[in-house]
């Protein structure tokens, strides 16, 4: 398939959207991954307060739908989904 500049621009716009970023964070937690505020800031260009808002949104979603919490592991400095 040929590359389409207009489509590439659209994909890059999606990658910067709140929805895309929250979905990426969701995928990270659902697959057993961990994340940190620093990692999210670096990967998505977010401020620390924005990362915390996204974590709060995901925490509420996981609690309501799966009965699981997003917990902070102080020893590793990362967040993960509770077991």
């Amino acid at each position: 398939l040929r590359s389409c500049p207009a489509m590439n621009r659209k994909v890059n716009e999606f990658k910067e959207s709140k929805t895309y970023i929250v979905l990426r964070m969701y995928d990270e937690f659902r697959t057993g991954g961990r994340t940190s505020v620093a990692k999210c800031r670096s990967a998505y260009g977010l401020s620390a307060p924005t990362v915390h808002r996204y974590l709060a949104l995901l925490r509420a979603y996981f609690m309501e739908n799966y009965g699981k919490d997003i917990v902070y592991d102080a020893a590793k400095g990362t967040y993960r989904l509770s077991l």
Side-chain angles (χ1 to χ4, degrees):
L1 295 172
R2 288 186 307 147
S3 178
C4 174
M7 182 59 82
N8 289 341
R9 279 192 301 277
K10 197 64 159 170
V11 168
N12 288 334
E13 288 174 24
F14 286 136
K15 288 183 178 182
E16 296 173 2
S17 75
K18 175 182 179 176
T19 304
Y20 181 86
I21 294 167
V22 170
L23 286 170
R24 292 291 307 258
M25 292 171 72
Y26 170 88
D27 285 343
E28 181 81 20
F29 288 123
R30 286 290 293 165
T31 59
R34 295 171 176 266
T35 196
S36 68
V37 173
K39 178 181 172 184
C40 290
R41 291 186 70 194
S42 174
Y44 308 117
L46 303 173
S47 68
T50 299
V51 173
H52 286 286
R53 281 194 299 276
Y54 291 3
L55 288 168
L57 184 148
L58 287 166
R59 177 176 282 127
Y61 180 83
F62 281 116
M63 285 298 291
E64 182 178 325
N65 292 285
Y66 299 103
K68 295 187 175 198
D69 194 8
I70 293 176
V71 295
Y72 182 70
D73 182 341
K76 295 185 179 183
T78 59
Y79 292 89
R80 65 172 174 77
L81 198 57
S82 64
L83 303 174

